[in-house]
mmCIF file of all heavy atoms in Angstrom:
data_model
loop_
_atom_site.group_PDB
_atom_site.id
_atom_site.type_symbol
_atom_site.label_atom_id
_atom_site.label_comp_id
_atom_site.label_asym_id
_atom_site.label_seq_id
_atom_site.Cartn_x
_atom_site.Cartn_y
_atom_site.Cartn_z
ATOM 1 N N PHE A 14 -21.349 1.201 14.839
ATOM 2 C CA PHE A 14 -20.052 1.029 14.116
ATOM 3 C C PHE A 14 -19.074 0.074 14.819
ATOM 4 O O PHE A 14 -18.874 -0.095 15.969
ATOM 5 C CB PHE A 14 -19.289 2.381 14.095
ATOM 6 C CG PHE A 14 -19.891 3.365 13.097
ATOM 7 C CD1 PHE A 14 -20.838 4.231 13.597
ATOM 8 C CD2 PHE A 14 -19.683 3.241 11.787
ATOM 9 C CE1 PHE A 14 -21.406 5.181 12.698
ATOM 10 C CE2 PHE A 14 -20.283 4.172 10.912
ATOM 11 C CZ PHE A 14 -21.108 5.133 11.397
ATOM 12 N N THR A 15 -18.608 -0.989 13.971
ATOM 13 C CA THR A 15 -17.613 -2.003 14.435
ATOM 14 C C THR A 15 -16.582 -2.035 13.262
ATOM 15 O O THR A 15 -16.786 -1.575 12.048
ATOM 16 C CB THR A 15 -18.326 -3.280 14.468
ATOM 17 O OG1 THR A 15 -18.928 -3.707 13.312
ATOM 18 C CG2 THR A 15 -19.410 -3.277 15.625
ATOM 19 N N LEU A 16 -15.495 -2.623 13.648
ATOM 20 C CA LEU A 16 -14.480 -2.776 12.682
ATOM 21 C C LEU A 16 -14.828 -3.956 11.785
ATOM 22 O O LEU A 16 -15.122 -5.018 12.130
ATOM 23 C CB LEU A 16 -13.022 -3.039 13.418
ATOM 24 C CG LEU A 16 -12.595 -1.872 14.173
ATOM 25 C CD1 LEU A 16 -11.307 -2.372 14.862
ATOM 26 C CD2 LEU A 16 -12.227 -0.784 13.261
ATOM 27 N N SER A 17 -14.582 -3.678 10.420
ATOM 28 C CA SER A 17 -14.696 -4.839 9.440
ATOM 29 C C SER A 17 -13.560 -5.719 9.548
ATOM 30 O O SER A 17 -12.436 -5.466 10.157
ATOM 31 C CB SER A 17 -14.884 -4.247 8.051
ATOM 32 O OG SER A 17 -13.600 -3.615 7.673
ATOM 33 N N ALA A 18 -13.696 -6.890 8.831
ATOM 34 C CA ALA A 18 -12.583 -7.907 8.827
ATOM 35 C C ALA A 18 -11.295 -7.263 8.152
ATOM 36 O O ALA A 18 -10.229 -7.335 8.678
ATOM 37 C CB ALA A 18 -13.027 -9.066 8.091
ATOM 38 N N PRO A 19 -11.505 -6.536 7.001
ATOM 39 C CA PRO A 19 -10.250 -5.809 6.464
ATOM 40 C C PRO A 19 -9.642 -4.826 7.481
ATOM 41 O O PRO A 19 -8.451 -4.697 7.582
ATOM 42 C CB PRO A 19 -10.878 -5.158 5.177
ATOM 43 C CG PRO A 19 -12.077 -5.895 4.847
ATOM 44 C CD PRO A 19 -12.678 -6.336 6.149
ATOM 45 N N ASP A 20 -10.491 -4.114 8.093
ATOM 46 C CA ASP A 20 -9.941 -3.167 9.143
ATOM 47 C C ASP A 20 -9.218 -3.837 10.263
ATOM 48 O O ASP A 20 -8.244 -3.406 10.771
ATOM 49 C CB ASP A 20 -11.026 -2.233 9.793
ATOM 50 C CG ASP A 20 -11.619 -1.196 8.922
ATOM 51 O OD1 ASP A 20 -10.935 -0.951 7.873
ATOM 52 O OD2 ASP A 20 -12.609 -0.574 9.139
ATOM 53 N N GLN A 21 -9.844 -4.984 10.650
ATOM 54 C CA GLN A 21 -9.142 -5.789 11.707
ATOM 55 C C GLN A 21 -7.747 -6.372 11.156
ATOM 56 O O GLN A 21 -6.761 -6.356 12.039
ATOM 57 C CB GLN A 21 -10.051 -6.923 12.240
ATOM 58 C CG GLN A 21 -11.279 -6.375 13.077
ATOM 59 C CD GLN A 21 -12.116 -7.543 13.454
ATOM 60 O OE1 GLN A 21 -11.829 -8.705 13.282
ATOM 61 N NE2 GLN A 21 -13.277 -7.101 13.952
ATOM 62 N N ARG A 22 -7.831 -6.890 10.015
ATOM 63 C CA ARG A 22 -6.444 -7.320 9.402
ATOM 64 C C ARG A 22 -5.406 -6.111 9.397
ATOM 65 O O ARG A 22 -4.264 -6.364 9.704
ATOM 66 C CB ARG A 22 -6.680 -7.865 8.032
ATOM 67 C CG ARG A 22 -7.296 -9.286 8.173
ATOM 68 C CD ARG A 22 -7.159 -9.942 6.713
ATOM 69 N NE ARG A 22 -7.960 -9.425 5.790
ATOM 70 C CZ ARG A 22 -9.351 -9.477 5.558
ATOM 71 N NH1 ARG A 22 -9.986 -10.309 6.371
ATOM 72 N NH2 ARG A 22 -9.882 -8.898 4.599
ATOM 73 N N TYR A 23 -5.943 -5.023 8.898
ATOM 74 C CA TYR A 23 -5.090 -3.808 8.818
ATOM 75 C C TYR A 23 -4.433 -3.538 10.185
ATOM 76 O O TYR A 23 -3.256 -3.347 10.403
ATOM 77 C CB TYR A 23 -5.858 -2.603 8.277
ATOM 78 C CG TYR A 23 -5.050 -1.414 7.893
ATOM 79 C CD1 TYR A 23 -4.360 -1.251 6.745
ATOM 80 C CD2 TYR A 23 -4.779 -0.389 8.994
ATOM 81 C CE1 TYR A 23 -3.664 -0.118 6.447
ATOM 82 C CE2 TYR A 23 -4.028 0.754 8.676
ATOM 83 C CZ TYR A 23 -3.447 0.851 7.408
ATOM 84 O OH TYR A 23 -2.710 1.967 7.159
ATOM 85 N N LEU A 24 -5.306 -3.501 11.201
ATOM 86 C CA LEU A 24 -4.801 -3.098 12.559
ATOM 87 C C LEU A 24 -3.896 -4.190 13.081
ATOM 88 O O LEU A 24 -2.862 -3.835 13.785
ATOM 89 C CB LEU A 24 -5.933 -2.968 13.560
ATOM 90 C CG LEU A 24 -6.813 -1.748 13.400
ATOM 91 C CD1 LEU A 24 -7.931 -1.765 14.383
ATOM 92 C CD2 LEU A 24 -5.922 -0.510 13.744
ATOM 93 N N SER A 25 -4.046 -5.487 12.726
ATOM 94 C CA SER A 25 -3.237 -6.541 13.144
ATOM 95 C C SER A 25 -1.770 -6.427 12.645
ATOM 96 O O SER A 25 -0.804 -7.105 13.053
ATOM 97 C CB SER A 25 -3.825 -7.853 12.853
ATOM 98 O OG SER A 25 -3.798 -8.171 11.517
ATOM 99 N N THR A 26 -1.619 -5.658 11.451
ATOM 100 C CA THR A 26 -0.324 -5.664 10.860
ATOM 101 C C THR A 26 0.412 -4.326 11.116
ATOM 102 O O THR A 26 1.557 -4.096 10.588
ATOM 103 C CB THR A 26 -0.467 -5.751 9.270
ATOM 104 O OG1 THR A 26 -1.243 -4.660 8.753
ATOM 105 C CG2 THR A 26 -1.079 -7.096 8.948
ATOM 106 N N ARG A 27 -0.186 -3.434 11.996
ATOM 107 C CA ARG A 27 0.433 -2.220 12.352
ATOM 108 C C ARG A 27 0.348 -1.951 13.730
ATOM 109 O O ARG A 27 -0.688 -2.361 14.434
ATOM 110 C CB ARG A 27 -0.194 -1.124 11.546
ATOM 111 C CG ARG A 27 0.250 -1.015 10.226
ATOM 112 C CD ARG A 27 -0.814 -0.480 9.258
ATOM 113 N NE ARG A 27 -0.408 -0.516 7.886
ATOM 114 C CZ ARG A 27 -0.815 -1.571 7.028
ATOM 115 N NH1 ARG A 27 -1.399 -2.615 7.477
ATOM 116 N NH2 ARG A 27 -0.434 -1.425 5.777
ATOM 117 N N ASP A 28 1.207 -1.216 14.414
ATOM 118 C CA ASP A 28 1.178 -0.865 15.852
ATOM 119 C C ASP A 28 0.361 0.381 16.010
ATOM 120 O O ASP A 28 -0.044 1.028 15.030
ATOM 121 C CB ASP A 28 2.490 -0.764 16.464
ATOM 122 C CG ASP A 28 3.377 0.317 15.818
ATOM 123 O OD1 ASP A 28 2.815 1.367 15.301
ATOM 124 O OD2 ASP A 28 4.580 0.410 15.873
ATOM 125 N N MET A 29 -0.129 0.519 17.218
ATOM 126 C CA MET A 29 -1.013 1.707 17.514
ATOM 127 C C MET A 29 -0.264 3.029 17.243
ATOM 128 O O MET A 29 -0.927 3.980 17.001
ATOM 129 C CB MET A 29 -1.512 1.608 18.951
ATOM 130 C CG MET A 29 -2.745 0.693 19.070
ATOM 131 S SD MET A 29 -4.065 0.904 17.897
ATOM 132 C CE MET A 29 -4.750 2.580 18.379
ATOM 133 N N THR A 30 0.992 3.148 17.394
ATOM 134 C CA THR A 30 1.659 4.375 17.146
ATOM 135 C C THR A 30 1.429 4.801 15.741
ATOM 136 O O THR A 30 1.189 5.976 15.439
ATOM 137 C CB THR A 30 3.133 4.168 17.392
ATOM 138 O OG1 THR A 30 3.386 3.835 18.789
ATOM 139 C CG2 THR A 30 3.975 5.517 17.227
ATOM 140 N N THR A 31 1.533 3.804 14.847
ATOM 141 C CA THR A 31 1.380 4.029 13.363
ATOM 142 C C THR A 31 -0.086 4.531 13.181
ATOM 143 O O THR A 31 -0.298 5.586 12.443
ATOM 144 C CB THR A 31 1.704 2.863 12.462
ATOM 145 O OG1 THR A 31 3.118 2.532 12.742
ATOM 146 C CG2 THR A 31 1.509 3.058 11.071
ATOM 147 N N ILE A 32 -1.026 3.877 13.707
ATOM 148 C CA ILE A 32 -2.464 4.244 13.567
ATOM 149 C C ILE A 32 -2.788 5.454 14.180
ATOM 150 O O ILE A 32 -3.482 6.265 13.535
ATOM 151 C CB ILE A 32 -3.425 2.992 14.265
ATOM 152 C CG1 ILE A 32 -3.109 1.674 13.624
ATOM 153 C CG2 ILE A 32 -4.825 3.380 14.172
ATOM 154 C CD1 ILE A 32 -3.350 1.462 12.105
ATOM 155 N N THR A 33 -2.117 5.838 15.229
ATOM 156 C CA THR A 33 -2.344 7.176 15.810
ATOM 157 C C THR A 33 -1.812 8.268 14.892
ATOM 158 O O THR A 33 -2.391 9.230 14.727
ATOM 159 C CB THR A 33 -1.728 7.255 17.271
ATOM 160 O OG1 THR A 33 -2.324 6.257 18.059
ATOM 161 C CG2 THR A 33 -1.925 8.577 17.926
ATOM 162 N N GLN A 34 -0.628 7.950 14.348
ATOM 163 C CA GLN A 34 -0.110 8.914 13.343
ATOM 164 C C GLN A 34 -1.053 9.190 12.170
ATOM 165 O O GLN A 34 -1.232 10.269 11.654
ATOM 166 C CB GLN A 34 1.205 8.464 12.870
ATOM 167 C CG GLN A 34 2.347 8.509 13.837
ATOM 168 C CD GLN A 34 3.734 7.850 13.539
ATOM 169 O OE1 GLN A 34 3.647 7.085 12.521
ATOM 170 N NE2 GLN A 34 4.687 8.161 14.205
ATOM 171 N N HIS A 35 -1.606 8.029 11.678
ATOM 172 C CA HIS A 35 -2.672 8.162 10.575
ATOM 173 C C HIS A 35 -3.842 9.089 11.145
ATOM 174 O O HIS A 35 -4.289 9.942 10.317
ATOM 175 C CB HIS A 35 -3.286 6.874 10.202
ATOM 176 C CG HIS A 35 -2.248 5.867 9.544
ATOM 177 N ND1 HIS A 35 -2.412 4.581 9.339
ATOM 178 C CD2 HIS A 35 -0.916 6.097 9.137
ATOM 179 C CE1 HIS A 35 -1.419 4.029 8.686
ATOM 180 N NE2 HIS A 35 -0.443 4.999 8.618
ATOM 181 N N ALA A 36 -4.336 8.769 12.363
ATOM 182 C CA ALA A 36 -5.471 9.602 12.878
ATOM 183 C C ALA A 36 -5.147 10.967 12.845
ATOM 184 O O ALA A 36 -5.906 11.957 12.510
ATOM 185 C CB ALA A 36 -5.871 9.042 14.228
ATOM 186 N N GLN A 37 -3.890 11.319 13.412
ATOM 187 C CA GLN A 37 -3.457 12.674 13.539
ATOM 188 C C GLN A 37 -3.467 13.410 12.126
ATOM 189 O O GLN A 37 -3.777 14.573 11.991
ATOM 190 C CB GLN A 37 -2.080 12.764 14.272
ATOM 191 C CG GLN A 37 -2.224 12.505 15.683
ATOM 192 C CD GLN A 37 -0.864 12.103 16.439
ATOM 193 O OE1 GLN A 37 0.079 12.008 15.719
ATOM 194 N NE2 GLN A 37 -0.833 12.088 17.660
ATOM 195 N N HIS A 38 -2.881 12.679 11.168
ATOM 196 C CA HIS A 38 -2.915 13.226 9.889
ATOM 197 C C HIS A 38 -4.308 13.486 9.283
ATOM 198 O O HIS A 38 -4.404 14.585 8.765
ATOM 199 C CB HIS A 38 -2.085 12.208 8.912
ATOM 200 C CG HIS A 38 -2.146 12.701 7.344
ATOM 201 N ND1 HIS A 38 -1.446 13.738 7.028
ATOM 202 C CD2 HIS A 38 -2.860 12.268 6.396
ATOM 203 C CE1 HIS A 38 -1.600 13.907 5.708
ATOM 204 N NE2 HIS A 38 -2.516 13.057 5.432
ATOM 205 N N PHE A 39 -5.168 12.602 9.534
ATOM 206 C CA PHE A 39 -6.539 12.782 9.012
ATOM 207 C C PHE A 39 -7.227 13.990 9.720
ATOM 208 O O PHE A 39 -7.863 14.839 9.109
ATOM 209 C CB PHE A 39 -7.343 11.522 9.174
ATOM 210 C CG PHE A 39 -6.891 10.235 8.320
ATOM 211 C CD1 PHE A 39 -7.142 9.045 8.869
ATOM 212 C CD2 PHE A 39 -6.459 10.535 7.096
ATOM 213 C CE1 PHE A 39 -6.789 7.852 8.050
ATOM 214 C CE2 PHE A 39 -6.043 9.453 6.328
ATOM 215 C CZ PHE A 39 -6.236 8.133 6.823
ATOM 216 N N ILE A 40 -6.972 14.028 10.958
ATOM 217 C CA ILE A 40 -7.644 15.126 11.765
ATOM 218 C C ILE A 40 -6.925 16.471 11.295
ATOM 219 O O ILE A 40 -7.712 17.485 11.060
ATOM 220 C CB ILE A 40 -7.322 15.008 13.316
ATOM 221 C CG1 ILE A 40 -8.137 13.727 13.819
ATOM 222 C CG2 ILE A 40 -7.739 16.232 14.102
ATOM 223 C CD1 ILE A 40 -7.549 13.159 15.121
ATOM 224 N N GLN A 41 -5.689 16.544 11.125
ATOM 225 C CA GLN A 41 -4.968 17.816 10.885
ATOM 226 C C GLN A 41 -5.396 18.240 9.411
ATOM 227 O O GLN A 41 -5.680 19.380 9.143
ATOM 228 C CB GLN A 41 -3.554 17.664 10.842
ATOM 229 C CG GLN A 41 -2.712 18.872 10.444
ATOM 230 C CD GLN A 41 -1.269 18.614 10.551
ATOM 231 O OE1 GLN A 41 -0.748 17.441 10.499
ATOM 232 N NE2 GLN A 41 -0.537 19.699 10.560
ATOM 233 N N THR A 42 -5.505 17.355 8.488
ATOM 234 C CA THR A 42 -5.863 17.700 7.041
ATOM 235 C C THR A 42 -7.364 17.685 6.742
ATOM 236 O O THR A 42 -7.831 18.544 5.931
ATOM 237 C CB THR A 42 -5.218 16.693 6.110
ATOM 238 O OG1 THR A 42 -5.638 15.423 6.258
ATOM 239 C CG2 THR A 42 -3.722 16.805 6.132
ATOM 240 N N ARG A 43 -8.189 17.044 7.403
ATOM 241 C CA ARG A 43 -9.697 16.904 7.122
ATOM 242 C C ARG A 43 -10.532 17.609 8.128
ATOM 243 O O ARG A 43 -11.643 17.989 7.735
ATOM 244 C CB ARG A 43 -9.947 15.545 6.989
ATOM 245 C CG ARG A 43 -9.420 14.801 5.925
ATOM 246 C CD ARG A 43 -9.746 13.308 6.014
ATOM 247 N NE ARG A 43 -9.014 12.555 4.914
ATOM 248 C CZ ARG A 43 -9.633 11.831 3.981
ATOM 249 N NH1 ARG A 43 -10.933 11.647 4.070
ATOM 250 N NH2 ARG A 43 -8.990 11.087 3.068
ATOM 251 N N LEU A 44 -10.059 17.838 9.382
ATOM 252 C CA LEU A 44 -10.901 18.508 10.372
ATOM 253 C C LEU A 44 -10.514 19.749 10.879
ATOM 254 O O LEU A 44 -11.233 20.626 11.331
ATOM 255 C CB LEU A 44 -11.076 17.462 11.495
ATOM 256 C CG LEU A 44 -12.051 16.261 11.398
ATOM 257 C CD1 LEU A 44 -11.959 15.402 12.690
ATOM 258 C CD2 LEU A 44 -13.373 16.765 11.070
ATOM 259 N N ALA A 45 -9.184 19.803 11.075
ATOM 260 C CA ALA A 45 -8.568 20.985 11.795
ATOM 261 C C ALA A 45 -8.807 22.424 11.066
ATOM 262 O O ALA A 45 -8.947 23.305 11.839
ATOM 263 C CB ALA A 45 -7.044 20.890 11.974
ATOM 264 N N PRO A 46 -8.972 22.565 9.823
ATOM 265 C CA PRO A 46 -9.108 23.856 9.219
ATOM 266 C C PRO A 46 -10.556 24.386 9.700
ATOM 267 O O PRO A 46 -11.444 23.623 9.896
ATOM 268 C CB PRO A 46 -9.157 23.572 7.723
ATOM 269 C CG PRO A 46 -8.420 22.378 7.497
ATOM 270 C CD PRO A 46 -8.692 21.487 8.699
#
């Protein structure tokens, strides 16, 4: 697994705090139950 060009562009336009918030949301809604 590696980041695609669109994923890299997405990361370059957002800070890690925002990305971490996205991860936390996905974990809470998709994995935590």
Side-chain angles (χ1 to χ4, degrees):
F14 288 98
T15 58
L16 293 174
S17 67
D20 285 347
Q21 291 178 9
R22 280 193 298 278
Y23 186 87
L24 284 175
S25 72
T26 63
R27 287 152 182 91
D28 60 28
M29 278 309 290
T30 300
T31 301
I32 300 300
T33 300
Q34 289 171 347
H35 294 170
Q37 290 167 346
H38 173 74
F39 295 146
I40 292 162
Q41 183 179 18
T42 59
R43 296 171 182 239
L44 286 177

